[in-house]
Amino acid sequence: TATAWKSGYFVFNQPLKEVMEVLSRWYGTKVLMGNEIENSTVAGKFSRQREIGQILTYIGELKGFTYTVDGKNIILKKI
């Protein structure tokens, strides 16, 4: 995964909480979520050039959550 990072990709195989920590640092946001989804495992490879909304929409469809944006905060909600 170190080479994926250098080539411009996020590569995940970890709990959603950790994925959101990485994304929030990269995109300069704060992600808030409930305990019921934070330990769900996310596996995938995403271009760092994608908008955060594209990544969240994709992961949300797989993991059963929606998101809203409030300024610099992103709130994840289980469907």
Side-chain angles (χ1 to χ4, degrees), residues 5-6 9-10 14 23 25 30 32 41 43 45 47 49 52-54 61 63 69 71-74 76-77 79:
W5 183 86
K6 289 179 183 178
Y9 290 93
F10 297 110
Q14 59 211 71
L23 293 178
R25 280 193 307 268
K30 182 174 183 177
L32 309 166
T41 300
K45 179 178 176 180
S47 170
Q49 294 182 13
I52 191 169
Q54 293 174 312
E61 288 174 358
K63 297 300 173 180
V69 178
K72 287 279 187 182
N73 295 323
I74 297 173
L76 307 184
K77 293 187 179 179
I79 297 174

Side-chain angles (χ1 to χ4, degrees), residues 49-62:
Q49 294 182 13
R50 284 186 174 226
E51 293 181 18
I52 191 169
Q54 293 174 312
I55 297 172
L56 291 175
T57 298
Y58 180 77
I59 296 172
E61 288 174 358
L62 292 175

Side-chain angles (χ1 to χ4, degrees), residues 5-79:
W5 183 86
K6 289 179 183 178
S7 64
Y9 290 93
F10 297 110
V11 178
F12 300 119
N13 188 12
Q14 59 211 71
L16 181 62
K17 181 179 181 179
E18 293 175 19
V19 169
M20 292 303 128
E21 289 170 1
V22 170
L23 293 178
S24 66
R25 280 193 307 268
W26 182 260
Y27 291 100
T29 63
K30 182 174 183 177
V31 179
L32 309 166
M33 74 186 88
N35 295 343
E36 69 277 0
I37 61 173
E38 68 181 12
N39 292 318
S40 177
T41 300
V42 174
K45 179 178 176 180
F46 304 94
S47 170
R48 289 178 181 258
Q49 294 182 13
R50 284 186 174 226
E51 293 181 18
I52 191 169
Q54 293 174 312
I55 297 172
L56 291 175
T57 298
Y58 180 77
I59 296 172
E61 288 174 358
L62 292 175
K63 297 300 173 180
F65 68 81
T66 61
Y67 72 94
T68 56
V69 178
D70 180 15
K72 287 279 187 182
N73 295 323
I74 297 173
I75 301 113
L76 307 184
K77 293 187 179 179
K78 186 165 179 60
I79 297 174

